[in-house]
């Protein structure tokens, strides 16, 4: 089955820790995206990548970092610099920009 | 950048009736408008989309209309069913970015 896999489904972080969220796709899509979703709000773009070894900041990139070493993988690191990390994080991919984006089922991050 | 407003934030309709959700966007250069359905604890699922060279698109009980002059697009669901209950998001694409509305929680009353 083709799709996007995010892991883990739930993640807990202690104050001052960095955590990394996994996103893997087997759709052979070039573009990948990370969004943050807070209650009652729409999705906000954190980072996006069109090709391997290249990525751009979205609207709320501060306190986050990404890498794109493989076409299939686009991990997101939530650093200790992110002051309000509790949220639902969604990864998406598309064939290219301006094409339908397909989403994973998200990772819910909470602070202990 | 782009700004997308979505209304209403909540909507309840009787099973079998129609539901309409409306969005406006700010940048006339936006050219791709998808709609997503999100169920609890899941990622959004694309249900229909429209490009700026088309005024209307239909897929079974779901339709989307686009008014480029007014910078306005709408989702229409006819003959609603209990499984239509979910949160719906509109979005507008400018260059490589999608900007989302704040969502509409649709509840179908049996």
């Amino acid at each position: 089955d083709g799709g996007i896999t995010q892991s883990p489904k739930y993640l807990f972080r202690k104050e001052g820790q960095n955590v990394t969220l996994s996103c893997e796709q087997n759709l052979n899509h070039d573009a990948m995206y990370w969004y943050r979703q807070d209650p009652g709000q729409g999705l906000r773009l954190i980072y996006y990548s069109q090709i391997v070894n290249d990525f751009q900041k979205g609207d709320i990139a501060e306190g986050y970092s990404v890498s794109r070493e493989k076409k299939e993988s686009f991990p997101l690191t939530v650093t200790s610099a992110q002051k309000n990390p509790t949220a639902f994080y969604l990864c998406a991919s598309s064939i290219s920009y301006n094409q339908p984006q397909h989403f994973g089922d998200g990772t819910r991050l909470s602070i202990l | 950048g782009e700004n997308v407003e979505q209304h209403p934030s909540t909507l309840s309709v009787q099973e079998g009736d129609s539901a309409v959700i409306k969005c406006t966007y700010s940048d006339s250069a936006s050219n791709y408008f998808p709609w997503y359905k999100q169920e609890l604890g899941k990622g959004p699922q694309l249900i229909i989309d429209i490009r700026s060279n088309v005024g209307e698109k239909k897929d079974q009980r779901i339709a989307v209309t686009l008014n480029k002059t007014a910078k306005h697009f709408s989702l229409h669901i006819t003959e609603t069913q209990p499984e239509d209950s979910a949160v719906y998001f509109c979005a507008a694409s400018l260059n490589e970015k999608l900007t989302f509305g704040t969502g509409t929680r649709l509840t179908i009353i049996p």
Side-chain angles (χ1 to χ4, degrees):
Chain A
D1 249 60
I4 300 175
T5 302
Q6 289 189 243
S7 61
K9 193 166 179 65
Y10 300 96
L11 188 57
F12 299 91
R13 191 191 92 170
K14 292 182 180 178
E15 297 274 359
Q17 266 186 345
N18 293 353
V19 289
T20 298
L21 284 60
S22 170
C23 178
E24 303 277 334
Q25 55 98 358
N26 60 4
L27 299 168
N28 200 30
H29 286 172
D30 285 318
M32 297 188 74
Y33 313 81
W34 273 106
Y35 292 91
R36 170 181 171 138
Q37 186 175 28
D38 293 285
Q41 297 191 31
L43 284 65
R44 292 183 291 166
L45 184 63
I46 304 173
Y47 268 98
Y48 57 104
S49 166
Q50 189 177 18
I51 56 172
V52 172
N53 293 322
D54 186 52
F55 47 82
Q56 285 77 42
K57 292 182 179 180
D59 299 320
I60 56 165
E62 185 174 350
Y64 300 97
S65 65
V66 293
S67 62
R68 187 88 187 272
E69 297 176 2
K70 298 187 299 181
K71 185 176 183 178
E72 304 79 21
S73 179
F74 192 39
L76 173 75
T77 297
V78 184
T79 74
S80 56
Q82 170 50 240
K83 298 307 177 190
N84 185 21
T86 297
F88 191 47
Y89 290 88
L90 288 158
C91 179
S93 70
S94 62
I95 293 173
S96 64
Y97 286 155
N98 226 26
Q99 294 297 319
Q101 293 186 19
H102 301 268
F103 284 83
D105 278 339
T107 292
R108 189 167 297 281
L109 175 63
S110 300
I111 301 304
L112 294 176
Chain B
E2 176 63 277
N3 181 50
V4 176
E5 294 190 358
Q6 182 172 348
H7 300 282
S9 57
T10 60
L11 179 62
S12 295
V13 300
Q14 291 290 139
E15 182 178 352
D17 287 351
S18 296
V20 180
I21 302 171
K22 299 181 179 181
C23 290
T24 59
Y25 59 99
S26 60
D27 196 318
S28 57
S30 289
N31 56 11
Y32 173 62
F33 306 91
W35 284 88
Y36 287 87
K37 175 183 181 182
Q38 186 176 27
E39 298 177 338
L40 194 62
K42 298 281 190 179
Q45 179 184 10
L46 179 72
I47 55 172
I48 196 167
D49 57 7
I50 193 168
R51 296 199 179 267
S52 58
N53 59 347
V54 176
E56 183 173 0
K57 184 176 179 181
K58 190 174 181 180
D59 182 4
Q60 299 181 10
R61 298 186 297 109
I62 295 173
V64 56
T65 58
L66 172 65
N67 182 329
K68 286 189 296 183
T69 303
K71 290 187 281 187
H72 165 282
F73 58 114
S74 300
L75 177 72
H76 304 253
I77 306 175
T78 59
E79 300 172 15
T80 53
Q81 301 169 3
E83 52 265 36
D84 294 330
S85 292
V87 179
Y88 291 81
F89 291 95
C90 63
S93 178
L94 178 61
N95 300 321
E96 63 275 17
K97 292 184 183 180
L98 262 186
T99 300
F100 285 82
T102 51
T104 296
R105 181 173 298 279
L106 175 63
T107 302
I108 307 302
I109 305 167

